[in-house]
Amino acid sequence: MEISRTRVFRTIIAVILIYYFSLFFTQKVTFVTADLGRHITNGKVFFEQRKVVSTNYYSYTEPDFPAVNHHWLSGVVFYLLQSTLGFNGLFILYFLMMGTTVFLFLKTAERSSNFGVALLMVLISLPLISDRKEIRPEGFSYLFMGIYYYLLTLFQHKELNFKKLLLILIPLQLLWVNMHIFFIMGIFITGMFAFQELYSYVLLKKEGMLKKNSEFKKKSHAQKYMIVLITLIFVSLLNPYGFWGLLEPFNILKEYGYMIIENQPVIFMQQRAPKPLYFHLELFTLVVFTAFIQIVAAKKLKLYLMPLGFVLAYLILAFKAIRGIPMFGLFLIPFLAKYLNDFYTFEKNKLLIPITVIIVLTLIPGHYISAINKQFGYTLAKRANSSAEFFKQNNIKGPIYNNYDIGGYLIYHLYDNRNSYNTRVFVDNRPEAYSVGFLQNTYLKIQSSNELWKQAESEYKFNVIFFYRHDATTWAQPFLIERLKDETWIPVYVDDYAIIFLKDIEQNMEIINKYRLPNNMFTATKL
């Protein structure tokens, strides 16, 4: 009875923590600029046509340009959830999934320290982990990373047998390689465990200790880790692109013809748009290197090879591309928990005070470490679909000229009529699906030059401009200002997210006469 009560209590605590961690990922989606619409449409195409979208399928500019769709299965999952449970159901399940991810890293960290220290490390890492709140396929990668790390830790401590480990990881890797490009992280995590075991074996052999430590030789997992590692590599070939799909993670950070914010280094972003997150990252960089020095000085490096290897690898990735910051935050938890537990003594009663204070602070809205901000919620942002509804209700015809940010949104709303040239997009937020030449010499240049814009008008016969108003690139706002000055383009719709212009021609006159917006309602700073 006592065991049963303990399990019930632990289950309740686990549920509460998962819900609490989920709060940090609970954010309304600015659907107009999100990738989510395109991912859902990818899933819809899969069910309707039984194919994986592997070209620039939604665009009329480069429709046959090849692109590896490394997250096609995530689109299938998103489509099924959204079509059965609606957007709210999709959001709630995703946020709980992210909360579960953090909980798994907490449980892993607890094994090398204690619950209080592990929870405190989670709390101070959450701003890093929750930097990318938007619903994306990489959320599945975070979850799988948590599962792999937890299961491999159980196996390392002889609490999970080899057969069960393989039976769990093989189907997970099969899912992962088709859900997101970070599937390579599963191989990396397994490889780090194998390296730790092999290093221990080599070190003992070098020191002539193997005979004295015959038990280690008998219980070593080195060969089993290698079997798991090789198996995961072969399983990763089971994707629509085979060998090239396996290699795609090494090509994804290539130079595109368009600058992707999430792939930019921290130093660049700190100069462009400084925010507390980057200082948070730099602070923990100092903490990690201080810990490293102390570990080396204490001659305990061999005990920290794996957790330190993880945290340094993801720290480098985070500085190279800001999309890596959440992964660094996740692996920071077990590393710091072990380090603090080994080098410092914490009384449980004293840990209760900082933990309580931080939790209370996170529930107070409106500051950096708060889980609750202006965007807090589990639905689409208000009026997110209004511009697309206006477009469809008025039966506006293309060809469309749209900007990069809004492409996925238009794909979601206009796909049903994609067989019509008029309703495909000009560009969308998949830089890998467009040639460098198109993005640099066509998309970017026609926004920067009126002469080139006129040439593009003549070539593509644009009938509508559908633009995300807050495009922060240096060329977007001047382009919109020029279109307001251009008497051949008439603004007919504007909201908090989008602006729509129609070409001043006969076929649009009925809509223009009904919805024409006076130019004096716009200013250079409020487009």
Side-chain angles (χ1 to χ4, degrees):
M1 182 63 71
E2 187 63 34
I3 294 176
S4 178
R5 285 179 179 176
T6 301
R7 286 180 178 174
V8 170
F9 177 74
R10 287 180 177 176
T11 301
I12 292 172
I13 293 298
V15 170
I16 291 172
L17 285 172
I18 289 171
Y19 270 94
Y20 170 69
F21 296 147
S22 297
L23 293 177
F24 291 83
F25 302 91
T26 306
Q27 176 175 287
K28 294 177 184 176
V29 172
T30 307
F31 196 47
V32 176
T33 56
D35 295 341
L36 180 59
R38 173 170 48 80
H39 293 311
I40 293 172
T41 307
N42 282 345
K44 185 176 184 180
V45 171
F46 179 80
F47 277 100
E48 289 182 352
Q49 302 186 29
R50 296 295 187 269
K51 75 173 186 178
V52 174
V53 175
S54 299
T55 62
N56 195 352
Y57 181 67
Y58 304 109
S59 168
Y60 66 83
T61 51
E62 291 190 307
D64 299 317
F65 192 85
V68 174
N69 188 347
H70 56 80
H71 45 240
W72 70 272
L73 190 55
S74 293
V76 171
V77 175
F78 288 159
Y79 172 70
L80 288 174
L81 288 172
Q82 190 271 331
S83 60
T84 55
L85 301 176
F87 278 107
N88 290 9
L90 168 60
F91 295 167
I92 291 170
L93 287 174
Y94 184 86
F95 301 147
L96 290 176
M97 182 177 79
M98 295 305 296
T100 302
T101 299
V102 178
F103 180 76
L104 285 169
F105 276 92
L106 167 69
K107 294 299 292 182
T108 305
E110 185 183 2
R111 300 188 63 84
S112 58
S113 58
N114 60 67
F115 178 77
V117 172
L119 179 58
L120 184 59
M121 293 307 99
V122 168
L123 293 174
I124 63 177
S125 301
L126 271 169
L128 298 173
I129 299 167
S130 59
D131 175 48
R132 290 168 64 78
K133 297 180 175 68
E134 187 178 301
I135 298 177
R136 306 169 185 266
E138 69 190 61
F140 293 109
S141 283
Y142 298 148
L143 177 61
F144 288 141
M145 290 163 83
I147 294 172
Y148 273 51
Y149 199 9
Y150 182 66
L151 291 179
L152 287 165
T153 300
L154 290 181
F155 179 64
Q156 182 185 47
H157 290 88
K158 315 295 192 295
E159 296 178 27
L160 181 68
N161 66 48
F162 179 63
K163 184 177 180 180
K164 286 183 179 179
L165 180 68
L166 269 180
L167 288 175
I168 296 172
L169 292 189
I170 288 175
L172 283 181
Q173 188 69 16
L174 182 60
L175 287 173
W176 198 350
V177 72
N178 290 289
M179 297 189 88
H180 192 247
I181 200 164
F182 285 168
F183 71 87
I184 197 70
M185 299 303 177
I187 296 172
F188 172 64
I189 292 169
T190 306
M192 286 295 290
F193 274 86
F195 175 76
Q196 173 77 49
E197 199 78 9
L198 285 170
Y199 178 82
S200 298
Y201 179 87
V202 171
L203 192 64
L204 287 173
K205 186 176 182 180
K206 184 178 180 181
E207 295 174 353
M209 298 290 288
L210 270 184
K211 291 183 179 179
K212 297 179 181 179
N213 289 274
S214 57
E215 282 298 307
F216 173 83
K217 191 172 182 179
K218 291 178 181 178
K219 295 181 179 180
S220 174
H221 284 331
Q223 289 183 337
K224 292 178 180 178
Y225 278 126
M226 293 305 298
I227 292 172
V228 174
L229 183 62
I230 293 169
T231 301
L232 294 183
I233 292 172
F234 276 102
V235 169
S236 298
L237 292 169
L238 301 177
N239 67 81
Y241 311 97
F243 181 71
W244 298 113
L246 175 62
L247 294 183
E248 183 63 14
F250 304 101
N251 298 320
I252 194 64
L253 292 178
K254 65 183 179 182
E255 287 297 322
Y256 300 117
Y258 189 85
M259 185 183 74
I260 309 301
I261 291 297
E262 62 192 23
N263 289 347
Q264 300 309 307
V266 168
I267 302 302
F268 172 82
M269 290 304 299
Q270 197 165 29
Q271 295 172 347
R272 180 186 176 98
K275 58 181 183 178
L277 175 73
Y278 304 134
F279 295 103
H280 193 154
L281 175 65
E282 288 163 350
L283 173 63
F284 277 108
T285 301
L286 291 175
V287 171
V288 168
F289 279 99
T290 300
F292 173 74
I293 292 170
Q294 193 169 359
I295 289 166
V296 171
K299 298 182 179 180
K300 291 187 176 182
L301 186 59
K302 63 182 180 182
L303 301 176
Y304 280 83
L305 278 181
M306 187 172 63
L308 188 59
F310 280 131
V311 83
L312 289 178
Y314 288 109
L315 179 61
I316 293 170
L317 178 60
F319 270 91
K320 181 178 174 62
I322 60 172
R323 69 183 300 169
I325 291 176
M327 289 181 282
F328 169 68
L330 288 170
F331 283 92
L332 186 66
I333 297 167
F335 169 73
L336 284 184
K338 175 177 173 56
Y339 163 70
L340 291 175
N341 188 71
D342 288 351
F343 285 87
Y344 301 94
T345 301
F346 294 93
E347 296 180 17
K348 292 183 179 180
N349 292 337
K350 290 185 178 180
L351 281 174
L352 185 61
I353 296 174
I355 288 173
T356 304
V357 169
I358 294 175
I359 289 175
V360 170
L361 286 175
T362 61
L363 298 177
I364 299 174
H367 56 85
Y368 171 60
I369 68 168
S370 176
I372 304 169
N373 54 39
K374 292 180 180 179
Q375 288 295 102
F376 186 82
Y378 52 90
T379 185
L380 297 178
K382 188 177 180 181
R383 298 189 65 197
N385 289 318
S386 297
S387 58
E389 289 168 357
F390 174 87
F391 185 96
K392 291 185 288 186
Q393 287 169 3
N394 288 281
N395 196 29
I396 296 174
K397 302 296 183 182
I400 297 172
Y401 178 74
N402 62 279
N403 63 323
Y404 176 91
D405 300 292
I406 210 168
Y409 171 78
L410 293 179
I411 287 170
Y412 173 80
H413 281 286
L414 304 181
Y415 165 73
D416 284 340
N417 297 318
R418 77 156 302 276
N419 289 325
S420 166
Y421 173 94
N422 292 335
T423 54
R424 298 191 197 183
V425 298
F426 184 81
V427 71
D428 69 90
N429 37 10
R430 294 175 302 157
E432 71 277 9
Y434 296 84
S435 67
V436 172
F438 170 79
L439 290 172
Q440 290 186 344
N441 300 323
T442 301
Y443 174 68
L444 296 183
K445 286 189 176 180
I446 66 177
Q447 288 187 49
S448 306
S449 164
N450 274 329
E451 182 181 348
L452 293 177
W453 165 253
K454 293 299 181 183
Q455 292 177 14
E457 273 191 284
S458 176
E459 178 181 356
Y460 293 107
K461 312 297 181 187
F462 299 133
N463 186 56
V464 55
I465 298 172
F466 203 135
F467 221 85
Y468 173 57
R469 285 178 54 208
H470 306 294
D471 186 328
T473 56
T474 56
W475 49 83
Q477 296 303 309
F479 171 78
L480 291 178
I481 291 170
E482 288 301 317
R483 298 293 69 76
L484 285 170
K485 295 177 182 178
D486 188 342
E487 294 181 354
T488 65
W489 287 97
I490 311 300
V492 294
Y493 179 89
V494 68
D495 63 20
D496 291 339
Y497 309 105
I499 184 169
I500 299 175
F501 295 84
L502 290 183
K503 186 75 173 176
D504 190 6
I505 56 177
E506 184 62 31
Q507 75 176 56
N508 295 327
M509 288 312 299
E510 183 178 350
I511 303 172
I512 289 173
N513 290 335
K514 186 175 181 180
Y515 295 106
R516 182 173 192 150
L517 302 174
N519 281 19
N520 61 13
M521 72 177 291
F522 301 99
T523 67
T525 58
K526 293 184 178 181
L527 284 169

